[in-house]
């Protein structure tokens, strides 16, 4: 009796390497202007959204049409009613995300560090 040997193929999926999050010094000042009860939410969302695939467009993560004055290329919207904005750059070569600013929307105004930001 001839026995047929069927090869077994095992695929190993490597874990994705997380990006390194680097915060600009100004971000701490920006957070002071936001109620402290939201700080852990903002941190959790930044880590959840930007550690893996930070340059993949989603419903709440979009590339900016033009970089804004402090050099951000991406915007992340988060929090209740998407009231918070995180502006960041992605350096794929260094596998790094640089968080440049955290702001809060108040109707049609964007406040960064408690001051209205005009772009």
């Amino acid at each position: 009796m001839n026995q047929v040997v069927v090869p077994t193929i095992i695929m190993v999926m490597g874990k994705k390497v997380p990006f390194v999050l680097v915060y600009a010094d100004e971000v701490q000042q920006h957070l002071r202007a936001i109620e402290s009860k939201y700080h852990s939410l903002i941190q959790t969302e930044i880590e959840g959204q930007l550690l893996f695939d930070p340059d993949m467009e989603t419903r709440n993560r979009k590339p900016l049409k033009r970089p804004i004055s402090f050099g951000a290329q991406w915007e992340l919207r988060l929090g209740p009613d998407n009231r918070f904005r995180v502006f960041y750059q992605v350096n794929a070569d260094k596998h790094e995300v640089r968080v440049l600013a955290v702001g809060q929307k108040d109707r049609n105004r964007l406040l960064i560090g408690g001051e209205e930001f005009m772009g």
Side-chain angles (χ1 to χ4, degrees), residues 38 41 60 77-85 105 107:
Y38 294 113
L41 167 75
N60 291 325
R77 298 178 300 170
L78 59 99
D81 300 321
N82 278 332
R83 80 171 68 165
F84 301 112
R85 301 292 191 270
K105 284 292 278 191
R107 295 186 200 112

Side-chain angles (χ1 to χ4, degrees), residues 8 18 21 27 32 39 42 70-71 73 86 88 93 101 104 112 116:
T8 304
L21 295 176
V27 171
R32 283 192 203 115
H39 290 185
I42 291 169
F70 42 84
Q73 301 160 333
V86 175
Y88 64 97
D93 295 335
Q104 183 170 356
I112 295 180
E116 188 168 355

Side-chain angles (χ1 to χ4, degrees), residues 11-31:
M11 294 182 63
V12 178
M13 300 294 286
K15 278 188 163 182
K16 284 187 175 185
V17 177
F19 277 69
V20 174
L21 295 176
V22 178
Y23 292 85
D25 295 337
E26 298 82 13
V27 171
Q28 194 170 24
Q29 176 190 345
H30 300 166
L31 287 171

Side-chain angles (χ1 to χ4, degrees), residues 63-91:
L64 297 170
K65 290 184 177 18
R66 57 183 174 77
I68 53 181
S69 62
F70 42 84
Q73 301 160 333
W74 286 83
E75 174 186 43
L76 170 64
R77 298 178 300 170
L78 59 99
D81 300 321
N82 278 332
R83 80 171 68 165
F84 301 112
R85 301 292 191 270
V86 175
F87 296 96
Y88 64 97
Q89 294 174 330
V90 177
N91 184 330

